[in-house]
């Protein structure tokens, strides 16, 4: 169920992980059916098991953005529907700051 008015809106879905891609694909379809102009999904962990990459590519999702906390498959890396963000620079900087007794929370100040 969609709660609220999404007509004409650019919708962004957030989740901790994407395994089969079914939930995100179904949610994106529901949002588009209710008038969303675009739907993007952002997940921390892209498990992408089975036919998930194909499911994402054939869905109405404009883009799936995920980190590389789980090594992405070749099909995920080649997909034009999936953008993969590396997590190593952030973790490395956090470790450096901890070692130098600097603020880690300032990494997230904008």
């Amino acid at each position: 169920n969609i709660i609220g008015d999404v007509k004409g809106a650019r919708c962004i879905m957030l989740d901790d992980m994407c395994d089969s891609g079914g939930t995100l694909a179904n949610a994106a379809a529901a949002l588009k059916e209710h008038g969303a102009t675009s739907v993007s999904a952002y997940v921390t962990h892209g498990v992408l098991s089975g036919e998930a990459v194909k499911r994402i590519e054939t869905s109405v999702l404009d883009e799936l953005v995920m980190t590389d906390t789980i090594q992405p498959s070749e099909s995920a890396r080649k997909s034009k529907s999936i953008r993969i963000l590396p997590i190593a620079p952030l973790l490395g900087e956090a470790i450096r700051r901890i070692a130098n007794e600097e603020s880690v929370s300032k990494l997230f100040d904008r």
Side-chain angles (χ1 to χ4, degrees):
N1 295 330
I2 304 300
I3 299 172
D5 182 16
V6 298
K7 188 173 183 177
R10 179 174 185 262
C11 296
I12 299 172
M13 299 185 294
L14 305 172
D15 207 346
D16 59 344
M17 70 175 198
C18 175
D19 187 2
S20 71
T23 301
L24 292 178
N26 292 337
L31 288 164
K32 290 269 183 131
E33 287 170 9
H34 283 81
T37 57
S38 68
V39 182
S40 298
Y42 290 76
V43 301
T44 303
H45 310 290
V47 178
L48 303 180
S49 61
E51 297 291 315
V53 173
K54 183 178 179 181
R55 189 171 291 112
I56 294 299
E57 290 176 332
T58 59
S59 76
V60 297
L61 264 174
D62 293 282
E63 181 179 42
L64 170 64
V65 181
M66 63 184 212
T67 67
D68 62 355
T69 57
I70 297 172
Q71 185 173 4
S73 66
E74 184 176 341
S75 61
R77 288 192 306 273
K78 289 182 176 180
S79 176
K80 296 190 184 317
S81 302
I82 299 173
R83 184 163 41 117
I84 301 166
L85 303 176
I87 196 80
L90 177 64
L91 294 176
E93 181 61 16
I95 291 167
R96 187 196 68 74
R97 288 175 183 238
I98 291 167
N100 292 328
E101 298 182 7
E102 298 174 19
S103 172
V104 174
S105 63
K106 286 190 178 181
L107 276 171
F108 307 102
D109 290 347
R110 293 272 168 173

